[in-house]
Amino acid sequence: MKEFGYLRADDVPGAVALLAADPDARFLGGGTNLVDLMKTGVERPARLVDVRELPLDAIETTPDGGLRVGATVTNSDLAAHPEIRRRYPALTQAVLAGASGQLRNMATVGGNLLQRTRCGYFTDVTKPCNKRVPGSGCPPWRASITITPSSAPPSTASPCTPRTWASP
């Protein structure tokens, strides 16, 4: 069995160096995506580099009038920030609609940007997946899709027979 390690990064250059030293290491912020993938066996990092305590939790105005959002800002803090709510209400709405309060309190902006695909084939290690193992295949791309006419009233329903499209 492979040795598993956990390290807490003291600073940003140290976090980058720890990850660069081990290709099987992963950054851990809130862990809402990574830990789930570890539970299913999709991700099997040799080492977790905890970056949650790094000083990357600020939302700041930039000289050109924009906003800089730190990687460890939680989604809850992002959605509640007065400038985000005022200037980017659609972002606030999207963050609030994207997860439960419990997840928003843990999930980080940086983690959301690094989040892996949510496809069921990706998370099912018994199925091939090009995202997990390049070149292994993708079941939906091999499948045929059959669409039958709707159950609309005869006056509006198409008299066509079911059609089948093969994916490329």
Side-chain angles (χ1 to χ4, degrees), residues 9-20 27 49-51 54:
D10 295 323
D11 54 33
V12 173
V16 172
L18 288 169
L19 198 71
F27 286 134
V49 178
D50 190 340
V51 296
L54 295 180

Side-chain angles (χ1 to χ4, degrees), residues 31-67:
T32 59
N33 184 240
L34 178 61
V35 171
D36 284 346
L37 294 176
M38 289 172 65
K39 287 177 184 177
T40 61
V42 172
E43 284 281 352
R44 295 173 186 238
R47 187 168 335 287
L48 293 178
V49 178
D50 190 340
V51 296
R52 187 59 182 245
E53 300 301 318
L54 295 180
L56 302 171
D57 61 347
I59 299 174
E60 307 164 326
T61 303
T62 61
D64 64 355
L67 291 176

Side-chain angles (χ1 to χ4, degrees), residues 13-15 40 55 68 75 90 93 108-109 124 126 154 166:
T40 61
R68 177 180 298 120
N75 287 357
Q93 291 172 359
T108 61
V109 171
D124 182 351
T126 66

Side-chain angles (χ1 to χ4, degrees), residues 43-124:
E43 284 281 352
R44 295 173 186 238
R47 187 168 335 287
L48 293 178
V49 178
D50 190 340
V51 296
R52 187 59 182 245
E53 300 301 318
L54 295 180
L56 302 171
D57 61 347
I59 299 174
E60 307 164 326
T61 303
T62 61
D64 64 355
L67 291 176
R68 177 180 298 120
V69 179
T72 62
V73 169
T74 66
N75 287 357
S76 289
D77 289 343
L78 180 68
H81 193 276
E83 282 299 298
I84 299 292
R85 292 172 65 89
R86 184 177 70 79
R87 294 168 54 184
Y88 305 101
L91 177 58
T92 296
Q93 291 172 359
V95 170
L96 292 173
S100 68
Q102 184 178 13
L103 284 174
R104 286 192 310 266
N105 288 338
M106 289 298 297
T108 61
V109 171
N112 272 31
L113 295 174
L114 295 174
Q115 188 177 126
R116 301 295 303 267
T117 182
R118 297 303 239 183
C119 173
Y121 293 98
F122 176 80
T123 57
D124 182 351

Side-chain angles (χ1 to χ4, degrees), residues 116-117 119 122 128-137:
R116 301 295 303 267
T117 182
C119 173
F122 176 80
C129 174
N130 288 325
K131 294 270 186 182
R132 267 194 337 269
V133 180
S136 65

